[in-house]
Amino acid sequence: MNNNNLSLSQQINHLHANICSAISEPNRIHLLYAIHEEPSNVNNLAETVGLGQSTASRHLKVLRERGLIVAHREGNQVIYNLADERIIKALDILRELMLDNLAQRADLLKINQSMENNSK
């Protein structure tokens, strides 16, 4: 089934899933934060996030194809910028959610350990 046969809601869900799959890889998240800090070329970004140039290029291609970053030429270099700063806000919200989830799990673990210790 092609996109022409999908409802608007289905198309939006498909786009949402594409963005989520783009940010499902930790190195791509790291690249997005690096680009947010300082738009740069692939070599600088690869060095910043500790990747090889070809690996960074592959990740940047995915981010570009999904519309999360844009590339423009400056002389003989291609500079990568965020397409929309809101992606960083979205990532930050997800990080807050994750930290809250981890804190809740830690609290549950403490309660469980306390209950086990009291039952001995």
Side-chain angles (χ1 to χ4, degrees):
M1 184 187 313
N2 64 28
N3 279 349
N4 295 335
N5 295 332
L6 298 176
S7 71
L8 179 59
S9 177
Q10 289 172 318
Q11 289 180 38
I12 289 170
N13 287 340
H14 184 73
L15 291 170
H16 189 166
N18 278 336
I19 289 173
C20 288
S21 70
I23 61 172
S24 69
E25 212 290 329
N27 288 312
R28 290 196 285 263
I29 293 171
H30 199 176
L31 282 164
L32 287 168
Y33 277 110
I35 292 167
H36 173 67
E37 288 296 316
E38 182 177 357
S40 193
N41 65 41
V42 65
N43 291 324
N44 290 340
L45 290 167
E47 184 178 327
T48 298
V49 300
L51 296 173
Q53 188 270 338
S54 63
T55 301
S57 289
R58 283 196 313 275
H59 288 306
L60 291 167
K61 179 181 181 205
V62 170
L63 294 171
R64 195 175 61 248
E65 287 173 346
R66 305 294 168 84
L68 299 177
I69 62 173
V70 293
H72 69 274
R73 189 164 288 282
E74 286 184 11
N76 62 352
Q77 296 185 45
V78 175
I79 304 298
Y80 294 92
N81 289 281
L82 295 178
D84 190 322
E85 293 285 326
R86 292 179 294 179
I87 188 62
I88 298 302
K89 290 179 185 177
L91 289 171
D92 288 345
I93 290 169
L94 287 170
R95 232 170 239 219
E96 289 174 18
L97 179 66
M98 175 198 62
L99 290 173
D100 288 349
N101 187 298
L102 288 173
Q104 288 173 353
R105 288 180 186 198
D107 289 344
L108 288 173
L109 185 60
K110 287 178 190 175
I111 291 168
N112 189 32
Q113 289 173 342
S114 176
M115 291 173 68
E116 285 178 359
N117 290 337
N118 290 337
S119 68
K120 292 183 181 179

Short mmCIF file of all heavy atoms in Angstrom, two decimals, residues 10-62:
data_model
loop_
_atom_site.label_atom_id
_atom_site.label_comp_id
_atom_site.label_asym_id
_atom_site.label_seq_id
_atom_site.Cartn_x
_atom_site.Cartn_y
_atom_site.Cartn_z
N GLN A 10 -2.88 7.80 9.44
CA GLN A 10 -1.90 6.75 9.16
C GLN A 10 -0.61 7.35 8.61
O GLN A 10 0.49 6.90 8.95
CB GLN A 10 -2.47 5.74 8.16
CG GLN A 10 -3.55 4.86 8.76
CD GLN A 10 -4.24 4.02 7.69
OE1 GLN A 10 -4.52 4.49 6.59
NE2 GLN A 10 -4.51 2.77 8.03
N GLN A 11 -0.72 8.37 7.75
CA GLN A 11 0.46 9.01 7.21
C GLN A 11 1.26 9.70 8.32
O GLN A 11 2.49 9.61 8.34
CB GLN A 11 0.08 10.02 6.13
CG GLN A 11 -0.41 9.38 4.85
CD GLN A 11 -0.80 10.39 3.80
OE1 GLN A 11 -0.14 11.41 3.64
NE2 GLN A 11 -1.87 10.12 3.08
N ILE A 12 0.55 10.36 9.23
CA ILE A 12 1.23 11.02 10.35
C ILE A 12 1.92 9.99 11.23
O ILE A 12 3.08 10.17 11.64
CB ILE A 12 0.23 11.88 11.16
CG1 ILE A 12 -0.17 13.10 10.33
CG2 ILE A 12 0.82 12.30 12.51
CD1 ILE A 12 -1.33 13.90 10.90
N ASN A 13 1.24 8.88 11.51
CA ASN A 13 1.86 7.81 12.31
C ASN A 13 3.09 7.24 11.61
O ASN A 13 4.09 6.92 12.26
CB ASN A 13 0.85 6.71 12.61
CG ASN A 13 -0.19 7.14 13.63
OD1 ASN A 13 0.03 8.08 14.39
ND2 ASN A 13 -1.31 6.46 13.64
N HIS A 14 3.02 7.10 10.30
CA HIS A 14 4.16 6.60 9.53
C HIS A 14 5.35 7.57 9.64
O HIS A 14 6.48 7.14 9.87
CB HIS A 14 3.75 6.40 8.07
CG HIS A 14 4.81 5.81 7.22
ND1 HIS A 14 5.19 4.50 7.30
CD2 HIS A 14 5.60 6.37 6.27
CE1 HIS A 14 6.16 4.26 6.44
NE2 HIS A 14 6.43 5.38 5.81
N LEU A 15 5.08 8.87 9.47
CA LEU A 15 6.15 9.87 9.61
C LEU A 15 6.71 9.88 11.02
O LEU A 15 7.93 9.99 11.22
CB LEU A 15 5.62 11.26 9.24
CG LEU A 15 5.29 11.49 7.78
CD1 LEU A 15 4.54 12.80 7.59
CD2 LEU A 15 6.54 11.45 6.93
N HIS A 16 5.84 9.75 12.01
CA HIS A 16 6.27 9.70 13.41
C HIS A 16 7.21 8.52 13.62
O HIS A 16 8.28 8.66 14.24
CB HIS A 16 5.03 9.59 14.30
CG HIS A 16 5.29 9.75 15.75
ND1 HIS A 16 4.28 9.96 16.64
CD2 HIS A 16 6.41 9.72 16.49
CE1 HIS A 16 4.78 10.06 17.86
NE2 HIS A 16 6.07 9.92 17.78
N ALA A 17 6.83 7.37 13.10
CA ALA A 17 7.66 6.17 13.24
C ALA A 17 9.00 6.34 12.55
O ALA A 17 10.04 5.88 13.06
CB ALA A 17 6.92 4.95 12.68
N ASN A 18 9.02 7.02 11.39
CA ASN A 18 10.28 7.26 10.69
C ASN A 18 11.22 8.12 11.52
O ASN A 18 12.43 7.86 11.58
CB ASN A 18 10.03 7.93 9.34
CG ASN A 18 9.66 6.93 8.27
OD1 ASN A 18 9.98 5.76 8.36
ND2 ASN A 18 8.97 7.39 7.25
N ILE A 19 10.68 9.15 12.15
CA ILE A 19 11.51 10.01 13.00
C ILE A 19 12.00 9.22 14.21
O ILE A 19 13.18 9.28 14.57
CB ILE A 19 10.75 11.28 13.42
CG1 ILE A 19 10.58 12.20 12.21
CG2 ILE A 19 11.47 12.01 14.56
CD1 ILE A 19 9.71 13.41 12.45
N CYS A 20 11.10 8.46 14.82
CA CYS A 20 11.50 7.67 15.99
C CYS A 20 12.58 6.64 15.63
O CYS A 20 13.51 6.43 16.41
CB CYS A 20 10.29 7.00 16.62
SG CYS A 20 9.22 8.17 17.49
N SER A 21 12.47 6.04 14.47
CA SER A 21 13.50 5.07 14.09
C SER A 21 14.83 5.77 13.83
O SER A 21 15.89 5.20 14.10
CB SER A 21 13.07 4.24 12.88
OG SER A 21 13.05 5.02 11.70
N ALA A 22 14.78 7.01 13.37
CA ALA A 22 16.02 7.76 13.14
C ALA A 22 16.73 8.07 14.45
O ALA A 22 17.96 8.07 14.52
CB ALA A 22 15.75 9.06 12.39
N ILE A 23 15.96 8.30 15.51
CA ILE A 23 16.58 8.63 16.79
C ILE A 23 16.68 7.41 17.71
O ILE A 23 17.00 7.55 18.89
CB ILE A 23 15.86 9.80 17.50
CG1 ILE A 23 14.40 9.46 17.81
CG2 ILE A 23 15.99 11.08 16.69
CD1 ILE A 23 13.69 10.48 18.67
N SER A 24 16.44 6.23 17.16
CA SER A 24 16.54 5.01 17.97
C SER A 24 17.98 4.52 18.10
O SER A 24 18.24 3.59 18.85
CB SER A 24 15.67 3.91 17.38
OG SER A 24 16.20 3.47 16.14
N GLU A 25 18.89 5.16 17.41
CA GLU A 25 20.30 4.76 17.42
C GLU A 25 21.08 5.78 18.26
O GLU A 25 21.04 6.97 17.97
CB GLU A 25 20.81 4.72 15.98
CG GLU A 25 21.88 3.68 15.71
CD GLU A 25 23.21 4.00 16.37
OE1 GLU A 25 23.55 5.18 16.53
OE2 GLU A 25 23.92 3.05 16.72
N PRO A 26 21.77 5.34 19.31
CA PRO A 26 22.47 6.28 20.20
C PRO A 26 23.46 7.22 19.51
O PRO A 26 23.55 8.40 19.88
CB PRO A 26 23.20 5.37 21.19
CG PRO A 26 22.42 4.10 21.19
CD PRO A 26 21.88 3.96 19.78
N ASN A 27 24.17 6.73 18.50
CA ASN A 27 25.13 7.61 17.81
C ASN A 27 24.42 8.74 17.07
O ASN A 27 24.95 9.85 16.98
CB ASN A 27 26.00 6.80 16.84
CG ASN A 27 27.00 5.94 17.56
OD1 ASN A 27 27.70 6.38 18.46
ND2 ASN A 27 27.06 4.68 17.17
N ARG A 28 23.23 8.48 16.56
CA ARG A 28 22.50 9.54 15.87
C ARG A 28 22.01 10.59 16.86
O ARG A 28 22.01 11.79 16.56
CB ARG A 28 21.36 8.95 15.04
CG ARG A 28 21.89 8.16 13.84
CD ARG A 28 20.84 7.89 12.79
NE ARG A 28 19.90 6.86 13.14
CZ ARG A 28 19.98 5.58 12.76
NH1 ARG A 28 20.99 5.18 12.00
NH2 ARG A 28 19.06 4.72 13.11
N ILE A 29 21.61 10.16 18.05
CA ILE A 29 21.23 11.12 19.08
C ILE A 29 22.44 11.98 19.44
O ILE A 29 22.34 13.20 19.54
CB ILE A 29 20.68 10.40 20.33
CG1 ILE A 29 19.35 9.72 19.99
CG2 ILE A 29 20.51 11.39 21.50
CD1 ILE A 29 18.84 8.80 21.09
N HIS A 30 23.58 11.34 19.61
CA HIS A 30 24.82 12.06 19.93
C HIS A 30 25.15 13.06 18.82
O HIS A 30 25.54 14.20 19.10
CB HIS A 30 25.94 11.05 20.13
CG HIS A 30 27.12 11.59 20.87
ND1 HIS A 30 28.18 10.81 21.20
CD2 HIS A 30 27.42 12.83 21.33
CE1 HIS A 30 29.09 11.55 21.83
NE2 HIS A 30 28.65 12.77 21.92
N LEU A 31 24.99 12.66 17.58
CA LEU A 31 25.25 13.57 16.45
C LEU A 31 24.28 14.76 16.48
O LEU A 31 24.71 15.89 16.23
CB LEU A 31 25.13 12.83 15.11
CG LEU A 31 26.32 11.96 14.73
CD1 LEU A 31 25.94 10.99 13.62
CD2 LEU A 31 27.50 12.83 14.33
N LEU A 32 23.02 14.52 16.79
CA LEU A 32 22.06 15.62 16.85
C LEU A 32 22.47 16.64 17.92
O LEU A 32 22.43 17.85 17.68
CB LEU A 32 20.65 15.10 17.11
CG LEU A 32 19.98 14.40 15.94
CD1 LEU A 32 18.73 13.67 16.40
CD2 LEU A 32 19.66 15.39 14.83
N TYR A 33 22.86 16.15 19.09
CA TYR A 33 23.31 17.07 20.14
C TYR A 33 24.59 17.80 19.73
O TYR A 33 24.73 19.00 20.01
CB TYR A 33 23.51 16.34 21.47
CG TYR A 33 22.24 16.15 22.26
CD1 TYR A 33 21.66 14.90 22.41
CD2 TYR A 33 21.61 17.23 22.87
CE1 TYR A 33 20.50 14.72 23.13
CE2 TYR A 33 20.44 17.07 23.61
CZ TYR A 33 19.89 15.82 23.74
OH TYR A 33 18.73 15.65 24.46
N ALA A 34 25.49 17.11 19.06
CA ALA A 34 26.73 17.75 18.60
C ALA A 34 26.43 18.85 17.57
O ALA A 34 27.01 19.94 17.63
CB ALA A 34 27.69 16.70 18.01
N ILE A 35 25.53 18.57 16.65
CA ILE A 35 25.15 19.56 15.64
C ILE A 35 24.45 20.74 16.30
O ILE A 35 24.67 21.89 15.91
CB ILE A 35 24.26 18.91 14.55
CG1 ILE A 35 25.08 17.91 13.73
CG2 ILE A 35 23.64 19.97 13.64
CD1 ILE A 35 24.25 17.00 12.84
N HIS A 36 23.66 20.44 17.32
CA HIS A 36 22.99 21.52 18.06
C HIS A 36 24.02 22.44 18.71
O HIS A 36 23.87 23.67 18.67
CB HIS A 36 22.07 20.92 19.12
CG HIS A 36 21.46 21.91 20.04
ND1 HIS A 36 20.54 22.84 19.63
CD2 HIS A 36 21.64 22.13 21.37
CE1 HIS A 36 20.17 23.58 20.66
NE2 HIS A 36 20.83 23.17 21.73
N GLU A 37 25.06 21.86 19.28
CA GLU A 37 26.12 22.65 19.93
C GLU A 37 26.90 23.47 18.91
O GLU A 37 27.20 24.63 19.15
CB GLU A 37 27.08 21.74 20.70
CG GLU A 37 26.49 21.15 21.95
CD GLU A 37 26.14 22.20 22.98
OE1 GLU A 37 26.94 23.12 23.22
OE2 GLU A 37 25.03 22.09 23.55
N GLU A 38 27.25 22.83 17.80
CA GLU A 38 28.03 23.53 16.77
C GLU A 38 27.85 22.84 15.42
O GLU A 38 28.42 21.77 15.19
CB GLU A 38 29.51 23.55 17.14
CG GLU A 38 30.34 24.31 16.15
CD GLU A 38 31.80 24.41 16.54
OE1 GLU A 38 32.18 23.94 17.62
OE2 GLU A 38 32.56 24.95 15.74
N PRO A 39 27.07 23.45 14.53
CA PRO A 39 26.97 22.90 13.17
C PRO A 39 28.37 22.73 12.59
O PRO A 39 29.24 23.59 12.80
CB PRO A 39 26.17 23.96 12.42
CG PRO A 39 25.38 24.65 13.49
CD PRO A 39 26.28 24.67 14.70
N SER A 40 28.59 21.62 11.92
CA SER A 40 29.95 21.32 11.47
C SER A 40 29.93 20.35 10.30
O SER A 40 28.88 19.88 9.87
CB SER A 40 30.73 20.74 12.65
OG SER A 40 32.11 20.72 12.36
N ASN A 41 31.14 20.01 9.84
CA ASN A 41 31.29 19.04 8.75
C ASN A 41 31.40 17.63 9.32
O ASN A 41 31.54 17.43 10.52
CB ASN A 41 32.49 19.40 7.87
CG ASN A 41 33.81 19.30 8.62
OD1 ASN A 41 34.04 18.38 9.39
ND2 ASN A 41 34.68 20.26 8.39
N VAL A 42 31.34 16.66 8.44
CA VAL A 42 31.32 15.26 8.86
C VAL A 42 32.57 14.88 9.64
O VAL A 42 32.49 14.14 10.64
CB VAL A 42 31.09 14.31 7.66
CG1 VAL A 42 32.25 14.36 6.68
CG2 VAL A 42 30.84 12.89 8.14
N ASN A 43 33.74 15.38 9.25
CA ASN A 43 34.96 15.00 9.95
C ASN A 43 34.97 15.50 11.38
O ASN A 43 35.32 14.76 12.31
CB ASN A 43 36.19 15.52 9.20
CG ASN A 43 36.39 14.80 7.88
OD1 ASN A 43 36.13 13.61 7.76
ND2 ASN A 43 36.85 15.53 6.88
N ASN A 44 34.57 16.75 11.60
CA ASN A 44 34.52 17.29 12.96
C ASN A 44 33.47 16.59 13.79
O ASN A 44 33.69 16.30 14.97
CB ASN A 44 34.25 18.80 12.93
CG ASN A 44 35.42 19.59 12.40
OD1 ASN A 44 36.56 19.13 12.37
ND2 ASN A 44 35.15 20.81 11.96
N LEU A 45 32.32 16.32 13.18
CA LEU A 45 31.26 15.63 13.91
C LEU A 45 31.68 14.21 14.28
O LEU A 45 31.42 13.76 15.40
CB LEU A 45 29.97 15.61 13.09
CG LEU A 45 29.28 16.97 12.93
CD1 LEU A 45 28.21 16.91 11.85
CD2 LEU A 45 28.71 17.45 14.25
N ALA A 46 32.33 13.52 13.35
CA ALA A 46 32.80 12.16 13.63
C ALA A 46 33.78 12.18 14.80
O ALA A 46 33.68 11.33 15.70
CB ALA A 46 33.47 11.58 12.38
N GLU A 47 34.68 13.12 14.81
CA GLU A 47 35.66 13.23 15.90
C GLU A 47 34.96 13.56 17.21
O GLU A 47 35.27 12.96 18.26
CB GLU A 47 36.69 14.31 15.57
CG GLU A 47 37.80 14.41 16.59
CD GLU A 47 38.84 15.45 16.22
OE1 GLU A 47 39.11 15.64 15.02
OE2 GLU A 47 39.36 16.08 17.16
N THR A 48 34.00 14.46 17.17
CA THR A 48 33.29 14.87 18.38
C THR A 48 32.57 13.70 19.04
O THR A 48 32.59 13.57 20.26
CB THR A 48 32.27 15.99 18.05
OG1 THR A 48 32.97 17.13 17.56
CG2 THR A 48 31.44 16.38 19.26
N VAL A 49 31.94 12.86 18.24
CA VAL A 49 31.17 11.75 18.80
C VAL A 49 31.95 10.44 18.85
O VAL A 49 31.43 9.43 19.32
CB VAL A 49 29.82 11.56 18.08
CG1 VAL A 49 28.97 12.80 18.18
CG2 VAL A 49 30.01 11.15 16.65
N GLY A 50 33.19 10.45 18.37
CA GLY A 50 34.04 9.27 18.45
C GLY A 50 33.69 8.18 17.46
O GLY A 50 33.73 6.99 17.78
N LEU A 51 33.36 8.58 16.24
CA LEU A 51 33.04 7.63 15.18
C LEU A 51 34.02 7.79 14.03
O LEU A 51 34.61 8.84 13.87
CB LEU A 51 31.63 7.88 14.63
CG LEU A 51 30.46 7.69 15.57
CD1 LEU A 51 29.17 8.14 14.90
CD2 LEU A 51 30.35 6.24 16.00
N GLY A 52 34.12 6.76 13.21
CA GLY A 52 34.85 6.89 11.97
C GLY A 52 34.06 7.75 11.01
O GLY A 52 32.83 7.86 11.11
N GLN A 53 34.74 8.35 10.06
CA GLN A 53 34.09 9.26 9.11
C GLN A 53 33.00 8.56 8.32
O GLN A 53 31.91 9.11 8.13
CB GLN A 53 35.15 9.88 8.19
CG GLN A 53 34.64 10.98 7.29
CD GLN A 53 34.13 10.47 5.95
OE1 GLN A 53 34.50 9.40 5.50
NE2 GLN A 53 33.26 11.24 5.33
N SER A 54 33.23 7.34 7.87
CA SER A 54 32.22 6.65 7.05
C SER A 54 31.00 6.29 7.89
O SER A 54 29.86 6.38 7.41
CB SER A 54 32.81 5.42 6.38
OG SER A 54 33.23 4.47 7.33
N THR A 55 31.21 5.90 9.13
CA THR A 55 30.08 5.58 10.02
C THR A 55 29.27 6.84 10.30
O THR A 55 28.03 6.82 10.24
CB THR A 55 30.60 4.97 11.34
OG1 THR A 55 31.34 3.79 11.04
CG2 THR A 55 29.45 4.62 12.27
N ALA A 56 29.95 7.94 10.60
CA ALA A 56 29.26 9.21 10.84
C ALA A 56 28.47 9.62 9.59
O ALA A 56 27.33 10.07 9.70
CB ALA A 56 30.25 10.30 11.24
N SER A 57 29.06 9.45 8.43
CA SER A 57 28.37 9.79 7.17
C SER A 57 27.09 9.00 7.00
O SER A 57 26.07 9.55 6.59
CB SER A 57 29.28 9.54 5.97
OG SER A 57 30.31 10.48 5.91
N ARG A 58 27.13 7.71 7.32
CA ARG A 58 25.93 6.87 7.20
C ARG A 58 24.83 7.36 8.15
O ARG A 58 23.66 7.45 7.78
CB ARG A 58 26.25 5.41 7.48
CG ARG A 58 26.94 4.71 6.33
CD ARG A 58 26.91 3.19 6.47
NE ARG A 58 27.28 2.67 7.77
CZ ARG A 58 28.54 2.43 8.18
NH1 ARG A 58 29.54 2.69 7.38
NH2 ARG A 58 28.77 1.94 9.37
N HIS A 59 25.22 7.69 9.38
CA HIS A 59 24.24 8.19 10.35
C HIS A 59 23.69 9.55 9.92
O HIS A 59 22.48 9.80 10.04
CB HIS A 59 24.85 8.28 11.74
CG HIS A 59 25.08 6.95 12.39
ND1 HIS A 59 24.09 6.00 12.54
CD2 HIS A 59 26.20 6.42 12.93
CE1 HIS A 59 24.59 4.95 13.15
NE2 HIS A 59 25.87 5.17 13.40
N LEU A 60 24.54 10.42 9.42
CA LEU A 60 24.09 11.73 8.96
C LEU A 60 23.13 11.59 7.79
O LEU A 60 22.16 12.34 7.68
CB LEU A 60 25.29 12.61 8.59
CG LEU A 60 26.16 13.05 9.76
CD1 LEU A 60 27.47 13.64 9.26
CD2 LEU A 60 25.42 14.03 10.66
N LYS A 61 23.37 10.61 6.94
CA LYS A 61 22.49 10.38 5.79
C LYS A 61 21.08 10.02 6.28
O LYS A 61 20.09 10.53 5.76
CB LYS A 61 23.05 9.27 4.90
CG LYS A 61 22.17 8.97 3.71
CD LYS A 61 22.74 7.84 2.87
CE LYS A 61 21.83 7.61 1.67
NZ LYS A 61 21.90 6.28 1.14
N VAL A 62 20.99 9.15 7.28
CA VAL A 62 19.69 8.77 7.83
C VAL A 62 18.99 10.00 8.41
O VAL A 62 17.81 10.24 8.14
CB VAL A 62 19.84 7.67 8.91
CG1 VAL A 62 18.53 7.43 9.64
CG2 VAL A 62 20.34 6.38 8.28
#
